[in-house]
Amino acid sequence: MNAITNNSITVTTTVKSPINKVWNYWTGPEHIIHWNFASPDWPTPHATNDLTVGGKFSSRMEARVGNMGFDFSGTYTEIRPPTTLQFFLEDGRNVEINYVEKDGTTAVTETFEAENSNPLEMQQMGWQAILDNFKHYVENNPVK
């Protein structure tokens, strides 16, 4: 269930895939570059991921047209494979992602603190679009 409460936004999806595949595709930089974008005109050409508590991750998003881009990065505060990731973004906002497997599918729920620059609905739509791309990528690619 997607929701906006106070300064927190939650987005969800259910992926038709076992939890270990979902975890590996979420955390593997070789996979992140294929799904981590809100729209096709802002791909992710580079990603790194130090999957340890205190480790950092970073994804570079760049516009296909022009020379604009930005890094999406943060630091892990809790890692419980394959069910939970918690981290804070470079701007200090907290994010929690939970994975729950049931009957060969995996529910992915992301809850994050909203930022103050963009409308809440826009933030929710952007994060949901990325989550939808993730679902599509996992369901349409073989286990690696």
Side-chain angles (χ1 to χ4, degrees), residues 20-60:
N20 287 329
K21 180 182 177 187
V22 168
W23 178 269
N24 290 335
Y25 277 41
W26 189 274
T27 60
E30 70 277 16
H31 297 294
I32 295 168
I33 60 172
H34 296 289
W35 59 261
N36 190 35
F37 54 89
S39 68
D41 53 336
W42 277 86
T44 300
H46 179 72
T48 61
N49 193 18
D50 177 3
L51 193 60
T52 59
V53 173
K56 298 193 181 297
F57 65 88
S58 180
S59 299
R60 177 74 184 167

Side-chain angles (χ1 to χ4, degrees), residues 71-132:
D71 293 317
F72 179 82
S73 56
T75 303
Y76 290 109
T77 57
E78 184 174 346
I79 301 170
R80 286 184 277 145
T83 62
T84 306
L85 286 174
Q86 292 181 2
F87 54 88
F88 63 87
L89 300 173
E90 292 303 312
D91 64 7
R93 293 182 295 137
N94 290 302
V95 179
E96 181 173 346
I97 307 167
N98 292 292
Y99 311 86
V100 177
E101 185 174 31
K102 182 179 179 182
D103 299 328
T105 66
T106 303
V108 180
T109 303
E110 280 187 278
T111 302
F112 61 96
E113 293 176 338
E115 45 93 353
N116 297 320
S117 301
N118 295 294
L120 295 175
E121 292 78 14
M122 177 188 276
Q123 293 177 64
Q124 182 181 32
M125 287 175 34
W127 284 59
Q128 185 66 53
I130 293 169
L131 194 55
D132 293 344

